[in-house]
Amino acid sequence: MKLSHFQFDLPKELLAEYPAENRDESRLMVIDRKKQTIEHKMFKDVIDYFDDGDVLILNNTKVFPARLYGNKEKTGARIEVFLLRELNSEQRLWDVLVDPARKIRIGNKLYFGDDDSLVAEVIDNTTSRGRTLRFLYDGSYEEFRNKLTELGETPIPKYISRDVTPEDAERYQTIYAKEEGAVAAPTAGLHFSKHLLKKLEIKGIKFAEVTLHVGLGTFNPVEVEDLSKHKMDSEELKITQEACDIVNEAKAKKKRICTVGTTSMRAVESSVSSQNTLNPFDGWTNKFVFPPHEFTIPTCMITNFHTPKSTLLMMVSAFCGHDLMKRAYAEAIKEGYKFYSYGDAMLII
């Protein structure tokens, strides 16, 4: 497979600027790989495809308010700082992206908040837009993190052309988010409401939680025609023994195992044993799933509709089958499905 196989024209009006009014009332396209069929449903109909003992694998990462706006010392120029990951909690060192980057050099100081209550010093250049910042703040670590939360805003994707609203803080977060550390939401999970999860639980469906802290690397464009030469950024991953037990028991009983989102899929495919069972994991993964790929754990997946040429689309192609995926995407465009983070969903069985 080549990069050019994943190009398609996406009308701009299909980019979702807002989420559906109710989480579980977005649209759901159901693709049956065996029958080669495509059906149109509502997301809450997902319950009809699962039975007692089946498993949903959920990514319980929590998005933190990663986008800050500060001013450069002396010039007062407004600078956007996007927090990527904490490098050292004691020294308050962070890996960040800055915009506009050409103005930000080593030694520069940035001031945040109306009262300049938070200051950061640039101590290294990492990439063209990447910098290492040391935050200077008088207070405990907990107070410092609270200050970041207070000054930061929900990092909704750049393609959304409107301002961030207070609702985004809630809606750009799954209802089962627990472990803070993501700079982007695992968006397939945004469709689950508390009510729908409860109904699934009552029906006997089990939930296995994994934690993959989504970084911006997930969305980095692929710039090589030969996909085997693309390198994914590493993301922090944790899979507990408890999650493995739930999944492996279902696998032994030949139950349906569904990864909710490409991040859950990356998580489980990063830690498969030689016996084709799920292993516990605590570390970093740079797993890149693209066709051809033999999936060992999941039998189905829930995902959103993705960007042309994205690694996410390549994973869907590997799982769905490329021709069927292309047919499904053509149908989605024809039927006016909404794409990207706040868009509609797809269930591949």
Side-chain angles (χ1 to χ4, degrees), residues 47 175 192-205 207:
I47 194 166
I175 58 160
F192 286 91
S193 62
K194 284 190 174 133
H195 182 63
L196 178 57
L197 277 184
K198 196 71 198 161
K199 281 174 73 177
L200 286 159
E201 195 183 326
I202 290 165
K203 197 174 177 182
I205 286 93
F207 306 111

Side-chain angles (χ1 to χ4, degrees), residues 46-314:
V46 82
I47 194 166
D48 299 336
Y49 296 89
F50 297 98
D51 287 312
D52 185 29
D54 290 344
V55 171
L56 292 180
I57 300 175
L58 310 174
N59 181 7
N60 67 11
T61 187
K62 190 173 185 180
V63 180
F64 65 94
R67 191 173 275 129
L68 301 170
Y69 292 96
N71 299 98
K72 189 180 169 190
E73 63 177 335
K74 295 179 183 155
T75 67
R78 181 174 153 95
I79 305 293
E80 179 190 312
V81 172
F82 196 101
L83 302 171
L84 292 177
R85 63 175 71 102
E86 186 174 50
L87 300 173
N88 184 309
S89 56
E90 277 180 34
Q91 296 183 34
R92 296 175 189 174
L93 295 182
W94 279 76
D95 195 7
V96 306
L97 296 177
V98 292
D99 191 24
R102 59 192 161 71
K103 296 183 173 179
I104 304 301
R105 299 190 173 89
I106 293 173
N108 287 159
K109 283 202 171 85
L110 301 171
Y111 293 85
F112 302 92
D114 295 337
D115 54 356
D116 295 343
S117 55
L118 183 64
V119 183
E121 184 180 6
V122 181
I123 62 169
D124 198 11
N125 292 338
T126 51
T127 61
S128 58
R129 286 181 58 215
R131 302 289 185 272
T132 303
L133 296 188
R134 177 187 286 120
F135 283 97
L136 312 170
Y137 182 73
D138 292 330
S140 67
Y141 178 70
E142 192 180 347
E143 288 167 335
F144 164 64
R145 289 303 297 249
N146 288 342
K147 179 57 76 172
L148 285 185
T149 301
E150 176 198 322
L151 294 174
E153 69 176 33
T154 304
I156 60 171
K158 280 286 196 185
Y159 79 83
I160 293 176
S161 53
R162 60 176 174 79
D163 288 338
V164 175
T165 66
E167 288 75 41
D168 287 313
E170 184 217 342
R171 292 302 302 272
Y172 194 63
Q173 194 83 271
T174 64
I175 58 160
Y176 48 79
K178 287 189 191 119
E179 305 291 336
E180 192 172 81
V183 299
T187 53
L190 298 180
H191 303 285
F192 286 91
S193 62
K194 284 190 174 133
H195 182 63
L196 178 57
L197 277 184
K198 196 71 198 161
K199 281 174 73 177
L200 286 159
E201 195 183 326
I202 290 165
K203 197 174 177 182
I205 286 93
K206 295 180 176 172
F207 306 111
E209 294 188 10
V210 298
T211 307
L212 181 82
H213 291 317
V214 191
L216 285 186
T218 291
F219 311 98
N220 277 351
V222 180
E223 290 170 340
V224 285
E225 185 66 9
D226 179 353
L227 301 186
S228 65
K229 293 193 164 53
H230 177 69
K231 293 281 183 287
M232 292 288 282
D233 279 7
S234 289
E235 292 171 324
E236 200 172 352
L237 168 62
K238 185 163 191 173
I239 302 174
T240 62
Q241 184 64 54
E242 183 190 359
C244 294
D245 292 344
I246 294 167
V247 169
N248 293 334
E249 185 190 349
K251 191 170 164 62
K253 291 179 177 173
K254 301 210 166 6
K255 296 292 185 181
R256 188 164 265 182
I257 298 170
C258 182
T259 49
V260 176
T262 55
T263 60
S264 296
M265 180 71 87
R266 278 188 72 215
V268 297
E269 289 297 303
S270 295
S271 193
V272 178
S273 74
S274 53
Q275 285 81 43
N276 287 343
T277 54
L278 186 60
N279 269 348
F281 190 99
D282 191 353
W284 296 76
T285 178
N286 61 354
K287 181 85 174 169
F288 175 28
V289 179
F290 62 97
H293 179 85
E294 201 168 314
F295 293 85
T296 42
I297 304 291
T299 60
C300 58
M301 81 180 288
I302 293 169
T303 187
N304 279 24
F305 290 90
H306 304 294
T307 23
K309 295 185 172 178
S310 63
T311 59
L312 312 174
L313 183 63
M314 290 160 192

